[in-house]
Protein backbone atom coordinates (compact mmCIF):
# COMPACT_ATOMS: atom_id res chain seq x y z
CA UNK A 1 0.00 0.00 0.00
CA UNK A 2 2.88 2.38 0.65
CA UNK A 3 3.34 2.70 -3.12
CA UNK A 4 -0.33 3.49 -3.69
CA UNK A 5 -1.79 6.87 -4.59
CA UNK A 6 -2.93 7.27 -0.95
CA UNK A 7 0.71 7.95 -0.09
CA UNK A 8 1.43 10.54 -2.75
CA UNK A 9 1.63 14.16 -1.68
CA UNK A 10 -0.90 16.73 -2.80
CA UNK A 11 -1.46 20.43 -2.40
CA UNK A 12 -4.28 21.75 -0.19
CA UNK A 13 -4.36 25.52 -0.40
CA UNK A 14 -0.92 26.64 0.87
CA UNK A 15 -0.11 23.23 2.39
CA UNK A 16 1.72 20.30 0.85
CA UNK A 17 0.13 17.22 2.39
CA UNK A 18 2.37 14.19 2.97
CA UNK A 19 -0.44 11.76 2.09
CA UNK A 20 -4.11 11.74 1.12
CA UNK A 21 -5.38 10.14 4.34
CA UNK A 22 -7.56 12.44 6.46
CA UNK A 23 -8.78 12.37 10.04
CA UNK A 24 -12.35 13.68 9.64
CA UNK A 25 -14.32 15.56 12.31
CA UNK A 26 -15.37 13.06 14.98
CA UNK A 27 -17.34 14.11 18.05
CA UNK A 28 -15.63 12.66 21.13
CA UNK A 29 -17.08 14.85 23.95
CA UNK A 30 -13.92 15.01 26.06
CA UNK A 31 -13.67 18.78 26.74
CA UNK A 32 -13.14 19.97 30.32
CA UNK A 33 -16.05 21.26 32.38
CA UNK A 34 -17.33 23.77 33.13
CA UNK A 35 -16.79 25.83 30.01
CA UNK A 36 -16.27 23.23 27.25
CA UNK A 37 -12.51 23.80 27.35
CA UNK A 38 -10.05 21.77 25.23
CA UNK A 39 -7.46 20.00 27.35
CA UNK A 40 -4.18 18.05 27.42
CA UNK A 41 -5.99 14.76 26.78
CA UNK A 42 -7.38 16.18 23.53
CA UNK A 43 -3.93 17.46 22.59
CA UNK A 44 -2.56 13.93 23.03
CA UNK A 45 -5.38 12.45 20.94
CA UNK A 46 -4.74 14.73 17.96
CA UNK A 47 -0.95 14.49 18.27
CA UNK A 48 -1.19 10.69 18.11
CA UNK A 49 -3.04 10.95 14.77
CA UNK A 50 -0.84 13.58 13.13
CA UNK A 51 0.43 11.01 10.63
CA UNK A 52 -2.65 11.94 8.60
CA UNK A 53 -2.16 14.14 5.56
CA UNK A 54 -4.34 16.56 7.44
CA UNK A 55 -6.85 16.52 10.27
CA UNK A 56 -10.13 18.25 11.00
CA UNK A 57 -11.15 18.66 14.62
CA UNK A 58 -14.40 17.52 16.09
CA UNK A 59 -17.28 19.97 15.61
CA UNK A 60 -16.58 23.08 17.70
CA UNK A 61 -19.45 25.35 18.59
CA UNK A 62 -19.03 28.93 17.39
CA UNK A 63 -21.21 30.35 20.17
CA UNK A 64 -23.03 29.06 23.27
CA UNK A 65 -26.31 28.56 21.37
CA UNK A 66 -24.47 26.35 18.88
CA UNK A 67 -24.11 23.42 21.29
CA UNK A 68 -26.30 20.35 20.96
CA UNK A 69 -24.39 17.74 22.92
CA UNK A 70 -22.78 17.79 26.36
CA UNK A 71 -19.00 18.20 26.69
CA UNK A 72 -18.28 19.29 23.11
CA UNK A 73 -15.64 22.05 22.87
CA UNK A 74 -16.22 25.67 21.90
CA UNK A 75 -14.14 28.33 20.19
CA UNK A 76 -15.99 31.47 21.21
CA UNK A 77 -14.02 32.80 24.19
CA UNK A 78 -10.42 33.52 25.14
CA UNK A 79 -10.08 30.56 27.51
CA UNK A 80 -11.13 28.11 24.79
CA UNK A 81 -8.82 29.74 22.24
CA UNK A 82 -5.83 29.50 24.59
CA UNK A 83 -6.63 25.86 25.33
CA UNK A 84 -6.92 24.95 21.63
CA UNK A 85 -3.39 26.30 21.23
CA UNK A 86 -2.16 23.24 23.19
CA UNK A 87 -3.74 21.05 20.51
CA UNK A 88 -2.36 22.93 17.52
CA UNK A 89 1.11 23.18 19.07
CA UNK A 90 1.13 19.41 19.70
CA UNK A 91 0.11 18.65 16.11
CA UNK A 92 2.54 21.12 14.57
CA UNK A 93 5.38 19.67 16.66
CA UNK A 94 4.73 16.40 14.77
CA UNK A 95 4.62 18.14 11.39
CA UNK A 96 0.84 17.80 11.11
CA UNK A 97 -1.77 20.05 9.48
CA UNK A 98 -4.99 20.67 11.41
CA UNK A 99 -8.20 22.56 10.57
CA UNK A 100 -10.91 23.49 13.07
CA UNK A 101 -14.49 22.51 12.22
CA UNK A 102 -16.86 25.42 12.91
CA UNK A 103 -20.20 24.07 14.13
CA UNK A 104 -23.62 25.36 15.04
CA UNK A 105 -26.33 22.79 15.66
CA UNK A 106 -29.29 25.15 15.26
CA UNK A 107 -32.48 23.34 16.24
CA UNK A 108 -30.69 20.09 17.18
CA UNK A 109 -30.26 21.14 20.80
CA UNK A 110 -31.95 21.17 24.20
CA UNK A 111 -32.94 24.06 26.42
CA UNK A 112 -30.60 22.77 29.17
CA UNK A 113 -27.68 23.36 26.78
CA UNK A 114 -28.86 26.84 25.81
CA UNK A 115 -27.96 30.11 27.55
CA UNK A 116 -30.49 30.77 30.33
CA UNK A 117 -32.47 27.71 29.26
CA UNK A 118 -33.75 29.35 26.09
CA UNK A 119 -35.20 27.69 23.01
CA UNK A 120 -32.71 26.55 20.34
CA UNK A 121 -32.53 28.82 17.29
CA UNK A 122 -33.35 27.74 13.74
CA UNK A 123 -34.37 29.09 10.34
CA UNK A 124 -37.99 28.18 11.17
CA UNK A 125 -39.79 27.02 14.31
CA UNK A 126 -39.98 23.38 13.17
CA UNK A 127 -38.99 20.79 15.81
CA UNK A 128 -36.34 18.22 14.93
CA UNK A 129 -37.50 14.61 14.83
CA UNK A 130 -35.70 11.29 14.37
CA UNK A 131 -32.76 12.67 16.35
CA UNK A 132 -31.59 12.76 19.94
CA UNK A 133 -29.30 15.21 21.70
CA UNK A 134 -27.05 14.40 24.65
CA UNK A 135 -27.52 16.35 27.88
CA UNK A 136 -25.58 16.32 31.13
CA UNK A 137 -27.50 14.82 34.04
CA UNK A 138 -24.69 15.15 36.59
CA UNK A 139 -20.90 15.48 36.76
CA UNK A 140 -19.59 13.16 34.04
CA UNK A 141 -23.04 11.66 33.52
CA UNK A 142 -25.50 12.25 30.71
CA UNK A 143 -28.47 10.92 28.80
CA UNK A 144 -30.04 11.13 25.36
CA UNK A 145 -33.03 13.46 25.08
CA UNK A 146 -35.40 14.73 22.42
CA UNK A 147 -34.47 18.20 21.09
CA UNK A 148 -36.40 21.16 22.47
CA UNK A 149 -38.75 23.04 20.11
CA UNK A 150 -36.79 25.83 18.39
CA UNK A 151 -37.65 29.44 17.69
CA UNK A 152 -37.17 31.10 14.32
CA UNK A 153 -34.32 33.56 13.93
CA UNK A 154 -35.13 37.09 12.85
CA UNK A 155 -33.48 38.40 9.69
CA UNK A 156 -31.17 40.58 11.77
CA UNK A 157 -30.22 37.59 13.92
CA UNK A 158 -29.33 35.60 10.80
CA UNK A 159 -26.95 38.36 9.74
CA UNK A 160 -25.47 38.44 13.25
CA UNK A 161 -24.85 34.69 13.02
CA UNK A 162 -22.86 35.19 9.83
CA UNK A 163 -20.58 37.48 11.83
CA UNK A 164 -20.34 34.94 14.66
CA UNK A 165 -18.92 32.46 12.15
CA UNK A 166 -16.38 35.08 11.08
CA UNK A 167 -15.43 35.74 14.72
CA UNK A 168 -15.00 32.00 15.33
CA UNK A 169 -12.76 31.80 12.27
CA UNK A 170 -10.65 34.63 13.69
CA UNK A 171 -10.46 32.73 16.99
CA UNK A 172 -9.31 29.62 15.10
CA UNK A 173 -6.42 31.56 13.61
CA UNK A 174 -5.53 32.90 17.07
CA UNK A 175 -5.56 29.29 18.33
CA UNK A 176 -3.00 28.31 15.70
CA UNK A 177 -5.21 26.33 13.34
CA UNK A 178 -4.05 26.00 9.74
CA UNK A 179 -7.56 26.57 8.41
CA UNK A 180 -11.23 25.93 9.11
CA UNK A 181 -14.00 23.66 7.87
CA UNK A 182 -17.59 24.89 7.97
CA UNK A 183 -19.99 22.16 9.09
CA UNK A 184 -22.87 22.36 6.61
CA UNK A 185 -24.00 18.73 6.89
CA UNK A 186 -26.10 16.31 8.92
CA UNK A 187 -29.10 18.50 9.54
CA UNK A 188 -27.31 21.18 11.59
CA UNK A 189 -27.76 24.94 11.22
CA UNK A 190 -26.32 25.63 7.74
CA UNK A 191 -28.04 22.48 6.45
CA UNK A 192 -31.29 23.67 8.06
CA UNK A 193 -31.16 26.83 5.94
CA UNK A 194 -30.42 24.81 2.79
CA UNK A 195 -33.23 22.28 3.28
CA UNK A 196 -36.82 22.90 2.17
CA UNK A 197 -37.86 20.59 5.03
CA UNK A 198 -36.53 22.93 7.71
CA UNK A 199 -36.54 26.36 6.05
CA UNK A 200 -40.01 27.86 5.63
CA UNK A 201 -38.79 31.47 5.81
CA UNK A 202 -40.35 34.25 3.78
CA UNK A 203 -37.40 36.68 3.84
CA UNK A 204 -34.30 36.68 1.65
CA UNK A 205 -33.06 33.49 3.34
CA UNK A 206 -36.05 31.34 2.40
CA UNK A 207 -38.23 30.25 -0.49
CA UNK A 208 -36.23 29.56 -3.66
CA UNK A 209 -33.18 27.31 -3.65
CA UNK A 210 -30.88 30.29 -4.22
CA UNK A 211 -32.44 32.04 -1.22
CA UNK A 212 -32.04 28.92 0.92
CA UNK A 213 -28.38 28.80 -0.13
CA UNK A 214 -27.84 32.44 0.82
CA UNK A 215 -26.86 31.72 4.44
CA UNK A 216 -24.25 29.18 3.27
CA UNK A 217 -22.88 31.68 0.76
CA UNK A 218 -22.65 34.51 3.28
CA UNK A 219 -21.07 32.36 5.99
CA UNK A 220 -18.45 30.88 3.66
CA UNK A 221 -17.57 34.28 2.23
CA UNK A 222 -17.34 35.87 5.69
CA UNK A 223 -15.06 33.09 6.92
CA UNK A 224 -12.94 33.19 3.74
CA UNK A 225 -12.50 36.94 4.23
CA UNK A 226 -10.95 36.19 7.63
CA UNK A 227 -8.73 33.15 7.00
CA UNK A 228 -8.25 33.28 3.21
CA UNK A 229 -10.35 31.25 0.78
CA UNK A 230 -7.47 28.79 0.28
CA UNK A 231 -7.70 27.75 3.95
CA UNK A 232 -11.44 27.02 4.01
CA UNK A 233 -13.29 23.74 3.57
CA UNK A 234 -17.02 22.96 3.65
CA UNK A 235 -18.64 19.68 4.62
CA UNK A 236 -21.92 18.45 3.10
CA UNK A 237 -23.85 15.21 3.60
CA UNK A 238 -25.80 14.98 0.32
CA UNK A 239 -28.12 12.12 1.21
CA UNK A 240 -29.94 10.45 -1.68
CA UNK A 241 -31.64 7.88 0.61
CA UNK A 242 -32.41 7.40 4.28
CA UNK A 243 -32.73 4.49 6.69
CA UNK A 244 -35.06 3.40 9.48
CA UNK A 245 -32.30 1.86 11.54
CA UNK A 246 -31.59 3.41 14.94
CA UNK A 247 -28.35 5.33 14.55
CA UNK A 248 -26.56 8.63 14.92
CA UNK A 249 -28.36 11.53 13.25
CA UNK A 250 -27.86 11.59 9.50
CA UNK A 251 -29.54 14.70 8.21
CA UNK A 252 -32.09 15.57 5.56
CA UNK A 253 -32.93 14.08 2.16
CA UNK A 254 -33.97 16.79 -0.29
CA UNK A 255 -36.60 16.31 -2.97
CA UNK A 256 -33.84 16.86 -5.55
CA UNK A 257 -30.52 16.34 -3.77
CA UNK A 258 -28.57 16.44 -7.03
CA UNK A 259 -29.74 19.94 -7.96
CA UNK A 260 -29.58 21.21 -4.36
CA UNK A 261 -25.97 20.24 -3.81
CA UNK A 262 -24.63 20.92 -7.28
CA UNK A 263 -25.94 24.48 -6.94
CA UNK A 264 -24.31 24.70 -3.51
CA UNK A 265 -21.02 23.43 -4.95
CA UNK A 266 -21.12 26.11 -7.65
CA UNK A 267 -21.33 28.78 -4.93
CA UNK A 268 -18.32 27.32 -3.13
CA UNK A 269 -16.32 27.20 -6.35
CA UNK A 270 -17.07 30.85 -7.05
CA UNK A 271 -15.70 31.75 -3.62
CA UNK A 272 -12.68 29.57 -4.37
CA UNK A 273 -12.40 27.48 -1.22
CA UNK A 274 -9.66 24.88 -0.77
CA UNK A 275 -11.75 21.75 -0.43
CA UNK A 276 -15.17 20.20 -0.32
CA UNK A 277 -15.84 17.33 2.09
CA UNK A 278 -18.67 14.94 1.20
CA UNK A 279 -19.89 12.67 4.00
CA UNK A 280 -21.62 9.68 2.45
CA UNK A 281 -24.28 7.52 4.03
CA UNK A 282 -22.48 4.97 6.18
CA UNK A 283 -25.11 2.59 7.50
CA UNK A 284 -24.86 -1.07 6.52
CA UNK A 285 -25.69 -1.64 2.84
CA UNK A 286 -26.15 2.09 2.24
CA UNK A 287 -26.27 2.99 -1.46
CA UNK A 288 -23.26 4.82 -2.84
CA UNK A 289 -23.68 8.33 -4.21
CA UNK A 290 -24.77 8.25 -7.86
CA UNK A 291 -21.95 8.42 -10.39
CA UNK A 292 -23.78 11.27 -12.10
CA UNK A 293 -23.57 13.29 -8.88
CA UNK A 294 -19.88 12.55 -8.34
CA UNK A 295 -19.18 13.61 -11.93
CA UNK A 296 -21.20 16.82 -11.54
CA UNK A 297 -19.33 17.73 -8.34
CA UNK A 298 -15.97 17.27 -10.07
CA UNK A 299 -17.15 19.26 -13.08
CA UNK A 300 -18.33 22.19 -10.97
CA UNK A 301 -15.64 22.35 -8.27
CA UNK A 302 -11.98 23.13 -8.94
CA UNK A 303 -10.65 22.61 -5.40
CA UNK A 304 -9.80 19.34 -3.67
CA UNK A 305 -12.64 16.86 -3.04
CA UNK A 306 -12.65 14.71 0.09
CA UNK A 307 -14.92 11.71 0.61
CA UNK A 308 -15.79 10.01 3.90
CA UNK A 309 -18.10 7.15 4.83
CA UNK A 310 -17.02 3.56 5.54
CA UNK A 311 -14.10 3.74 3.14
CA UNK A 312 -11.50 1.01 3.13
CA UNK A 313 -8.02 1.75 1.83
CA UNK A 314 -8.81 -0.20 -1.35
CA UNK A 315 -12.04 1.68 -1.98
CA UNK A 316 -10.27 4.97 -1.30
CA UNK A 317 -7.56 4.16 -3.82
CA UNK A 318 -10.21 3.37 -6.45
CA UNK A 319 -11.97 6.67 -5.70
CA UNK A 320 -8.81 8.71 -6.21
CA UNK A 321 -7.69 6.77 -9.29
CA UNK A 322 -11.14 7.20 -10.83
CA UNK A 323 -10.65 10.96 -10.69
CA UNK A 324 -13.62 11.96 -8.53
CA UNK A 325 -11.75 12.11 -5.18
CA UNK A 326 -8.48 13.69 -4.07
CA UNK A 327 -8.54 12.86 -0.35
CA UNK A 328 -10.12 10.05 1.69
CA UNK A 329 -11.18 10.32 5.33
CA UNK A 330 -11.29 7.36 7.69
CA UNK A 331 -13.41 7.86 10.80
CA UNK A 332 -13.87 4.82 13.03
CA UNK A 333 -10.57 3.22 11.92
CA UNK A 334 -8.71 6.38 12.96
CA UNK A 335 -10.41 6.38 16.37
CA UNK A 336 -9.04 2.91 17.13
CA UNK A 337 -5.73 3.19 15.27
CA UNK A 338 -3.69 6.31 16.03
CA UNK A 339 -1.06 5.07 13.57
CA UNK A 340 -3.59 4.35 10.81
CA UNK A 341 -1.52 5.66 7.86
CA UNK A 342 1.40 3.42 8.88
CA UNK A 343 -0.91 0.43 9.28
CA UNK A 344 -2.43 1.03 5.84
CA UNK A 345 1.01 1.44 4.26
CA UNK A 346 2.25 -1.84 5.70
CA UNK A 347 -1.00 -3.86 5.52
CA UNK A 348 -0.90 -4.28 9.28
CA UNK A 349 -4.12 -5.41 11.03
CA UNK A 350 -6.39 -2.81 12.59
CA UNK A 351 -7.54 -2.49 16.19
CA UNK A 352 -11.34 -2.81 16.44
CA UNK A 353 -13.19 0.29 17.70
CA UNK A 354 -15.00 0.15 21.05
CA UNK A 355 -18.37 1.90 20.46
CA UNK A 356 -19.07 2.20 24.20
CA UNK A 357 -16.20 4.69 24.67
CA UNK A 358 -16.74 6.90 21.65
CA UNK A 359 -18.51 9.74 23.45
CA UNK A 360 -17.44 11.17 26.78
CA UNK A 361 -15.32 9.55 29.45
CA UNK A 362 -11.61 9.40 30.09
CA UNK A 363 -8.52 8.30 28.18
CA UNK A 364 -10.09 4.82 27.85
CA UNK A 365 -11.11 4.35 24.24
CA UNK A 366 -9.59 7.73 23.42
CA UNK A 367 -5.81 7.93 23.79
CA UNK A 368 -5.10 4.37 24.97
CA UNK A 369 -5.49 2.56 21.64
CA UNK A 370 -2.05 1.05 20.97
CA UNK A 371 0.15 1.64 17.97
CA UNK A 372 1.10 -1.50 16.07
CA UNK A 373 3.89 -3.56 17.60
CA UNK A 374 5.83 -5.21 14.81
Amino acid sequence: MEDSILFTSTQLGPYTLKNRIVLPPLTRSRSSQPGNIPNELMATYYRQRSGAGFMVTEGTQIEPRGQGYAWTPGIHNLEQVAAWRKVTDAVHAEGGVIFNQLWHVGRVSHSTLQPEGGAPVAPSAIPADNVKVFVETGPGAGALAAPSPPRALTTDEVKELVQLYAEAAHNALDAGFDGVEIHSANGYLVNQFISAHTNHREDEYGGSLQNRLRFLKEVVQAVADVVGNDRVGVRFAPLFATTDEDRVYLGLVEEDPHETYVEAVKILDTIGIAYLSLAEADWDNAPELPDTFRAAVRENFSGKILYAGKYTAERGIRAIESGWADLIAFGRPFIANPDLPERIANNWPLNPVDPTTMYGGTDKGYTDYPAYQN
Side-chain angles (χ1 to χ4, degrees):
M1 284 286 182
E2 62 189 340
D3 296 325
S4 77
I5 198 166
L6 278 177
F7 292 93
T8 58
S9 65
T10 190
Q11 201 69 18
L12 183 72
Y15 307 108
T16 301
L17 307 184
K18 57 195 170 193
N19 60 54
R20 296 167 185 259
I21 296 169
V22 180
L23 174 75
L26 297 160
T27 296
R28 304 306 309 275
S29 299
R30 291 315 204 274
S31 68
S32 295
Q33 304 304 313
N36 299 318
I37 311 297
N39 51 46
E40 294 287 357
L41 189 65
M42 291 168 59
T44 299
Y45 169 80
Y46 285 107
R47 178 184 56 75
Q48 288 175 336
R49 288 155 182 80
S50 54
F54 90 108
M55 297 184 284
V56 186
T57 70
E58 61 219 271
T60 305
Q61 52 260 14
I62 65 163
E63 62 141 335
R65 295 178 303 176
Q67 184 177 12
Y69 306 87
W71 315 322
T72 54
I75 193 156
H76 51 79
N77 63 43
L78 292 176
E79 187 177 6
Q80 292 165 345
V81 170
W84 273 119
R85 175 67 74 168
K86 297 174 187 173
V87 174
T88 58
D89 284 350
V91 169
H92 292 152
E94 300 291 336
V97 176
I98 185 166
F99 281 37
N100 181 233
Q101 193 192 53
L102 305 181
W103 189 28
H104 197 303
V105 300
R107 69 177 190 160
V108 187
S109 186
H110 193 273
S111 58
T112 59
L113 294 163
Q114 294 291 309
E116 300 178 353
V121 296
S124 301
I126 302 169
D129 54 10
N130 297 323
V131 58
K132 292 285 195 289
V133 295
F134 187 76
V135 300
E136 189 174 65
T137 56
L144 292 170
S148 300
R151 70 169 181 86
L153 292 153
T154 67
T155 304
D156 285 345
E157 286 179 316
V158 176
K159 296 181 186 303
E160 289 164 4
L161 264 165
V162 172
Q163 293 311 307
L164 288 176
Y165 273 94
E167 288 172 19
H170 191 277
N171 288 344
L173 291 184
D174 286 350
F177 284 104
D178 299 305
V180 297
E181 177 178 291
I182 300 165
H183 195 343
S184 306
N186 304 115
Y188 297 120
L189 183 66
V190 178
N191 197 178
Q192 289 161 33
F193 273 91
I194 294 171
S195 177
H197 300 300
T198 47
N199 183 344
H200 294 179
R201 299 179 70 89
E202 296 180 351
D203 64 0
E204 71 230 60
Y205 294 99
S208 69
L209 175 56
Q210 290 304 315
N211 277 4
R212 298 197 314 274
L213 292 170
R214 189 184 304 275
F215 183 67
L216 168 74
K217 180 179 181 179
E218 291 183 358
V219 166
V220 176
Q221 187 63 66
V223 167
D225 288 345
V226 171
V227 304
N229 59 350
D230 62 346
R231 297 204 286 172
V232 176
V234 170
R235 178 171 245 216
F236 291 142
L239 293 175
F240 281 70
T242 190
T243 178
D244 294 326
E245 69 178 65
D246 188 23
R247 50 168 294 114
V248 173
Y249 191 39
L250 289 165
L252 303 149
V253 183
E254 301 310 306
E255 186 175 328
D256 188 342
H258 182 102
E259 181 194 18
T260 299
Y261 283 99
V262 170
E263 288 303 309
V265 166
K266 289 177 182 177
I267 287 170
L268 303 184
D269 196 58
T270 299
I271 296 171
I273 67 169
Y275 74 91
L276 169 65
S277 174
L278 295 172
E280 297 187 42
D282 65 352
W283 62 87
D284 288 341
N285 302 313
E288 292 197 21
L289 287 172
D291 288 347
T292 50
F293 178 73
R294 295 193 200 278
V297 170
R298 177 58 87 189
E299 183 181 341
N300 287 285
F301 187 71
S302 50
K304 293 294 191 289
I305 301 173
L306 187 166
Y307 279 90
K310 276 202 168 175
Y311 275 82
T312 61
E314 292 79 9
R315 185 177 170 221
I317 289 167
R318 289 197 302 272
I320 297 171
E321 289 180 342
S322 72
W324 47 263
D326 301 293
L327 302 159
I328 303 294
F330 300 89
R332 293 178 187 87
F334 233 140
I335 287 176
N337 298 274
D339 56 341
L340 182 67
E342 198 175 0
R343 288 182 188 245
I344 291 173
N346 293 287
N347 288 318
W348 292 337
L350 301 184
N351 298 321
V353 70
D354 176 5
T356 67
T357 58
M358 285 212 276
Y359 307 111
T362 62
D363 63 331
K364 180 174 170 53
Y366 190 57
T367 58
D368 67 342
Y369 282 108
Y372 184 72
Q373 298 296 317
N374 202 346

